[in-house]
Amino acid sequence: MTAEAHGKDDWQTALRVMAAAGTWEEMRGDLERLGVLGRLDGAQRLDLARLWERRGVEALDDRRLAEDLRHWAAGLGPTDHPLGFLAPRPAALAAEAARRGWFQRPLPGGRTLINPPDGKPVLLPPGPEGG
C-alpha cells in the first residue's frame, strides 16, 4: 500500500471514529489506540478538529447557540466557557447562525452584528476569535 493510500485509509478511519464518538476525549482515545492519530498530518488533524466543532455547533439549539455567541461578545474566552478549550470558536458559531438564516451585518473594525431569533442582538468582536 502506498503512503498516499495509507493516508486516505487513516482519514476514512478517523471520520468513522468521529461519527461513532460521543466526546472529543473518546474520539481522541480511540484514534490513539488504533494508531491513526499519529499518522494524521497537521492539516488532517486540524480538519478533524473543525469537523468535530461543526458537528457540535450544528447540534446546538437556537437558545444555546445564542448563549455561546453572547459568551464571546461579552469578551469572555475559552477558560471562562464550560467546555474550556473545546468551546466552539466564534467564527464557527457565526457560520452556524448564518446557515440558520439569522441576520448578520459586518461592521467597521471587523465586528459582526448577529440577530438571534430571540431578538436580542449580539456583537462579536473582531479578530480570529471574533466574527
Side-chain angles (χ1 to χ4, degrees), residues 1 10 63 84 92 109 119:
M1 178 181 293
D10 286 338
R63 181 191 59 76

Side-chain angles (χ1 to χ4, degrees), residues 3-41:
E4 184 176 315
H6 193 63
K8 287 179 182 177
D9 288 345
D10 286 338
W11 179 247
Q12 292 304 314
T13 299
L15 292 176
R16 282 192 303 277
V17 168
M18 182 182 73
T23 66
W24 173 262
E25 293 80 7
E26 178 185 344
M27 178 183 71
R28 184 175 173 90
D30 288 347
L31 290 173
E32 285 176 349
R33 276 188 289 286
L34 294 169
V36 172
L37 190 60
R39 292 191 301 264
L40 295 176
D41 64 31

Side-chain angles (χ1 to χ4, degrees), residues 30-124:
D30 288 347
L31 290 173
E32 285 176 349
R33 276 188 289 286
L34 294 169
V36 172
L37 190 60
R39 292 191 301 264
L40 295 176
D41 64 31
Q44 288 173 316
R45 286 179 182 210
L46 184 57
D47 287 346
L48 194 63
R50 296 297 184 237
L51 289 170
W52 181 267
E53 178 183 55
R54 186 171 73 199
R55 172 181 141 169
V57 168
E58 288 176 354
L60 297 174
D61 62 21
D62 285 353
R63 181 191 59 76
R64 182 58 197 267
L65 178 58
E67 283 177 8
D68 275 0
L69 285 165
R70 287 189 181 95
H71 170 88
W72 296 104
L76 300 173
T79 57
D80 306 303
H81 193 281
L83 295 175
F85 286 95
L86 292 177
R89 297 167 304 116
L93 297 167
E96 178 59 18
R99 189 186 73 77
R100 294 181 190 193
W102 295 8
F103 174 82
Q104 294 191 27
R105 177 181 299 255
L107 298 173
R111 298 171 301 154
T112 304
L113 182 68
I114 301 174
N115 280 56
D118 69 8
K120 191 173 181 182
V122 176
L123 183 61
L124 285 181

